[in-house]
Amino acid sequence: MDRLTTDRLMEILRECAGDGDAIETDRSPEDIEFASLGYDSLAMLETLSRLEREFGVALDEQEFAAAGTPAELTTLVNRVLAEAA
């Protein structure tokens, strides 16, 4: 894979941590904070490891932690992929 999509990220999150909490909102899931979606720090660490293995990138832990939504994390991974290309 050469780019991460938000849909693929959401699949990885579900595989690493389950479905998260069901929430009622008019916002897209990719714009909602991970904590509000029900993903804790353990789930996020597993997701970090999975992204690094699957995409062959090394993500800065501080940048990873600062990405608070799926959309922000997708942007970060794709930026690192583009820089490595």
Side-chain angles (χ1 to χ4, degrees):
M1 263 186 212
D2 55 343
R3 284 188 53 83
L4 175 65
T5 64
T6 305
D7 287 342
R8 179 64 187 133
L9 174 60
M10 297 306 286
E11 288 173 14
I12 291 169
L13 282 163
R14 283 190 295 275
E15 290 167 6
C16 290
D19 286 330
D21 294 335
I23 56 172
E24 302 266 336
T25 181
D26 57 354
R27 293 167 49 197
S28 299
E30 62 265 13
D31 295 325
I32 299 172
E33 296 77 20
F34 289 114
S36 296
L37 290 170
Y39 297 113
D40 62 13
S41 59
L42 185 59
M44 295 310 298
L45 285 175
E46 179 62 30
T47 299
L48 171 62
S49 176
R50 179 80 176 271
L51 288 169
E52 289 182 334
R53 284 193 317 270
E54 189 169 319
F55 289 90
V57 295
L59 299 171
D60 179 84
E61 288 184 28
Q62 288 182 329
E63 285 186 291
F64 180 83
T69 67
E72 291 172 0
L73 183 53
T74 300
T75 299
L76 170 64
V77 171
N78 287 328
R79 181 178 54 85
V80 171
L81 285 168
E83 290 171 357

PDB file of all heavy atoms in Angstrom, residues 51-64:
ATOM      1  N   LEU A  51       0.465   0.222  12.112  1.00  0.00           N
ATOM      2  CA  LEU A  51       0.714   1.138  10.994  1.00  0.00           C
ATOM      3  C   LEU A  51       2.180   1.081  10.570  1.00  0.00           C
ATOM      4  O   LEU A  51       2.479   1.066   9.369  1.00  0.00           O
ATOM      5  CB  LEU A  51       0.337   2.566  11.376  1.00  0.00           C
ATOM      6  CG  LEU A  51      -1.157   2.859  11.499  1.00  0.00           C
ATOM      7  CD1 LEU A  51      -1.381   4.215  12.145  1.00  0.00           C
ATOM      8  CD2 LEU A  51      -1.845   2.775  10.142  1.00  0.00           C
ATOM      9  N   GLU A  52       3.078   1.043  11.541  1.00  0.00           N
ATOM     10  CA  GLU A  52       4.503   0.990  11.213  1.00  0.00           C
ATOM     11  C   GLU A  52       4.853  -0.293  10.473  1.00  0.00           C
ATOM     12  O   GLU A  52       5.612  -0.267   9.504  1.00  0.00           O
ATOM     13  CB  GLU A  52       5.345   1.154  12.482  1.00  0.00           C
ATOM     14  CG  GLU A  52       5.271   2.565  13.030  1.00  0.00           C
ATOM     15  CD  GLU A  52       6.130   2.801  14.258  1.00  0.00           C
ATOM     16  OE1 GLU A  52       6.415   1.834  15.016  1.00  0.00           O
ATOM     17  OE2 GLU A  52       6.523   3.952  14.461  1.00  0.00           O
ATOM     18  N   ARG A  53       4.288  -1.413  10.907  1.00  0.00           N
ATOM     19  CA  ARG A  53       4.553  -2.692  10.220  1.00  0.00           C
ATOM     20  C   ARG A  53       3.919  -2.726   8.836  1.00  0.00           C
ATOM     21  O   ARG A  53       4.557  -3.111   7.857  1.00  0.00           O
ATOM     22  CB  ARG A  53       4.002  -3.864  11.050  1.00  0.00           C
ATOM     23  CG  ARG A  53       4.832  -4.234  12.237  1.00  0.00           C
ATOM     24  CD  ARG A  53       4.419  -5.584  12.833  1.00  0.00           C
ATOM     25  NE  ARG A  53       2.989  -5.791  12.942  1.00  0.00           N
ATOM     26  CZ  ARG A  53       2.249  -5.464  13.995  1.00  0.00           C
ATOM     27  NH1 ARG A  53       2.802  -4.888  15.042  1.00  0.00           N
ATOM     28  NH2 ARG A  53       0.960  -5.723  14.016  1.00  0.00           N
ATOM     29  N   GLU A  54       2.661  -2.347   8.758  1.00  0.00           N
ATOM     30  CA  GLU A  54       1.919  -2.474   7.498  1.00  0.00           C
ATOM     31  C   GLU A  54       2.430  -1.523   6.417  1.00  0.00           C
ATOM     32  O   GLU A  54       2.457  -1.877   5.243  1.00  0.00           O
ATOM     33  CB  GLU A  54       0.431  -2.243   7.749  1.00  0.00           C
ATOM     34  CG  GLU A  54      -0.429  -2.556   6.545  1.00  0.00           C
ATOM     35  CD  GLU A  54      -1.906  -2.594   6.870  1.00  0.00           C
ATOM     36  OE1 GLU A  54      -2.293  -3.135   7.925  1.00  0.00           O
ATOM     37  OE2 GLU A  54      -2.687  -2.075   6.049  1.00  0.00           O
ATOM     38  N   PHE A  55       2.841  -0.327   6.832  1.00  0.00           N
ATOM     39  CA  PHE A  55       3.250   0.679   5.849  1.00  0.00           C
ATOM     40  C   PHE A  55       4.761   0.888   5.788  1.00  0.00           C
ATOM     41  O   PHE A  55       5.243   1.670   4.973  1.00  0.00           O
ATOM     42  CB  PHE A  55       2.527   2.004   6.120  1.00  0.00           C
ATOM     43  CG  PHE A  55       1.066   1.932   5.788  1.00  0.00           C
ATOM     44  CD1 PHE A  55       0.146   1.555   6.740  1.00  0.00           C
ATOM     45  CD2 PHE A  55       0.615   2.203   4.507  1.00  0.00           C
ATOM     46  CE1 PHE A  55      -1.200   1.451   6.435  1.00  0.00           C
ATOM     47  CE2 PHE A  55      -0.733   2.110   4.185  1.00  0.00           C
ATOM     48  CZ  PHE A  55      -1.645   1.727   5.151  1.00  0.00           C
ATOM     49  N   GLY A  56       5.507   0.204   6.666  1.00  0.00           N
ATOM     50  CA  GLY A  56       6.951   0.297   6.629  1.00  0.00           C
ATOM     51  C   GLY A  56       7.485   1.688   6.942  1.00  0.00           C
ATOM     52  O   GLY A  56       8.446   2.143   6.330  1.00  0.00           O
ATOM     53  N   VAL A  57       6.839   2.370   7.889  1.00  0.00           N
ATOM     54  CA  VAL A  57       7.263   3.718   8.269  1.00  0.00           C
ATOM     55  C   VAL A  57       7.584   3.750   9.760  1.00  0.00           C
ATOM     56  O   VAL A  57       7.128   2.905  10.521  1.00  0.00           O
ATOM     57  CB  VAL A  57       6.178   4.779   7.966  1.00  0.00           C
ATOM     58  CG1 VAL A  57       5.921   4.897   6.485  1.00  0.00           C
ATOM     59  CG2 VAL A  57       4.883   4.489   8.717  1.00  0.00           C
ATOM     60  N   ALA A  58       8.367   4.733  10.153  1.00  0.00           N
ATOM     61  CA  ALA A  58       8.625   4.999  11.565  1.00  0.00           C
ATOM     62  C   ALA A  58       7.949   6.327  11.891  1.00  0.00           C
ATOM     63  O   ALA A  58       8.314   7.360  11.332  1.00  0.00           O
ATOM     64  CB  ALA A  58      10.121   5.074  11.831  1.00  0.00           C
ATOM     65  N   LEU A  59       6.970   6.269  12.751  1.00  0.00           N
ATOM     66  CA  LEU A  59       6.230   7.479  13.120  1.00  0.00           C
ATOM     67  C   LEU A  59       6.774   8.038  14.425  1.00  0.00           C
ATOM     68  O   LEU A  59       7.024   7.296  15.379  1.00  0.00           O
ATOM     69  CB  LEU A  59       4.740   7.164  13.280  1.00  0.00           C
ATOM     70  CG  LEU A  59       4.036   6.641  12.028  1.00  0.00           C
ATOM     71  CD1 LEU A  59       2.636   6.171  12.368  1.00  0.00           C
ATOM     72  CD2 LEU A  59       4.005   7.703  10.958  1.00  0.00           C
ATOM     73  N   ASP A  60       6.959   9.335  14.470  1.00  0.00           N
ATOM     74  CA  ASP A  60       7.386  10.014  15.682  1.00  0.00           C
ATOM     75  C   ASP A  60       6.267   9.895  16.713  1.00  0.00           C
ATOM     76  O   ASP A  60       5.113  10.233  16.427  1.00  0.00           O
ATOM     77  CB  ASP A  60       7.679  11.484  15.363  1.00  0.00           C
ATOM     78  CG  ASP A  60       8.118  12.247  16.598  1.00  0.00           C
ATOM     79  OD1 ASP A  60       9.313  12.179  16.905  1.00  0.00           O
ATOM     80  OD2 ASP A  60       7.259  12.887  17.231  1.00  0.00           O
ATOM     81  N   GLU A  61       6.620   9.410  17.912  1.00  0.00           N
ATOM     82  CA  GLU A  61       5.590   9.176  18.923  1.00  0.00           C
ATOM     83  C   GLU A  61       4.883  10.451  19.355  1.00  0.00           C
ATOM     84  O   GLU A  61       3.683  10.438  19.638  1.00  0.00           O
ATOM     85  CB  GLU A  61       6.188   8.450  20.125  1.00  0.00           C
ATOM     86  CG  GLU A  61       6.512   6.999  19.810  1.00  0.00           C
ATOM     87  CD  GLU A  61       7.008   6.222  21.019  1.00  0.00           C
ATOM     88  OE1 GLU A  61       6.637   6.578  22.153  1.00  0.00           O
ATOM     89  OE2 GLU A  61       7.745   5.260  20.808  1.00  0.00           O
ATOM     90  N   GLN A  62       5.599  11.565  19.409  1.00  0.00           N
ATOM     91  CA  GLN A  62       4.947  12.824  19.793  1.00  0.00           C
ATOM     92  C   GLN A  62       3.977  13.292  18.718  1.00  0.00           C
ATOM     93  O   GLN A  62       2.882  13.760  19.020  1.00  0.00           O
ATOM     94  CB  GLN A  62       5.989  13.899  20.080  1.00  0.00           C
ATOM     95  CG  GLN A  62       6.735  13.655  21.374  1.00  0.00           C
ATOM     96  CD  GLN A  62       7.725  14.745  21.683  1.00  0.00           C
ATOM     97  OE1 GLN A  62       8.297  15.356  20.788  1.00  0.00           O
ATOM     98  NE2 GLN A  62       7.943  14.999  22.964  1.00  0.00           N
ATOM     99  N   GLU A  63       4.381  13.167  17.450  1.00  0.00           N
ATOM    100  CA  GLU A  63       3.456  13.537  16.364  1.00  0.00           C
ATOM    101  C   GLU A  63       2.251  12.607  16.353  1.00  0.00           C
ATOM    102  O   GLU A  63       1.122  13.047  16.140  1.00  0.00           O
ATOM    103  CB  GLU A  63       4.171  13.478  15.013  1.00  0.00           C
ATOM    104  CG  GLU A  63       5.112  14.615  14.746  1.00  0.00           C
ATOM    105  CD  GLU A  63       5.669  14.550  13.343  1.00  0.00           C
ATOM    106  OE1 GLU A  63       6.458  13.633  13.066  1.00  0.00           O
ATOM    107  OE2 GLU A  63       5.291  15.414  12.541  1.00  0.00           O
ATOM    108  N   PHE A  64       2.505  11.314  16.586  1.00  0.00           N
ATOM    109  CA  PHE A  64       1.417  10.344  16.628  1.00  0.00           C
ATOM    110  C   PHE A  64       0.436  10.710  17.740  1.00  0.00           C
ATOM    111  O   PHE A  64      -0.773  10.728  17.524  1.00  0.00           O
ATOM    112  CB  PHE A  64       1.977   8.932  16.841  1.00  0.00           C
ATOM    113  CG  PHE A  64       0.919   7.872  16.905  1.00  0.00           C
ATOM    114  CD1 PHE A  64       0.393   7.323  15.748  1.00  0.00           C
ATOM    115  CD2 PHE A  64       0.445   7.417  18.130  1.00  0.00           C
ATOM    116  CE1 PHE A  64      -0.588   6.341  15.807  1.00  0.00           C
ATOM    117  CE2 PHE A  64      -0.535   6.437  18.201  1.00  0.00           C
ATOM    118  CZ  PHE A  64      -1.053   5.903  17.026  1.00  0.00           C
TER     119      PHE A  64
END
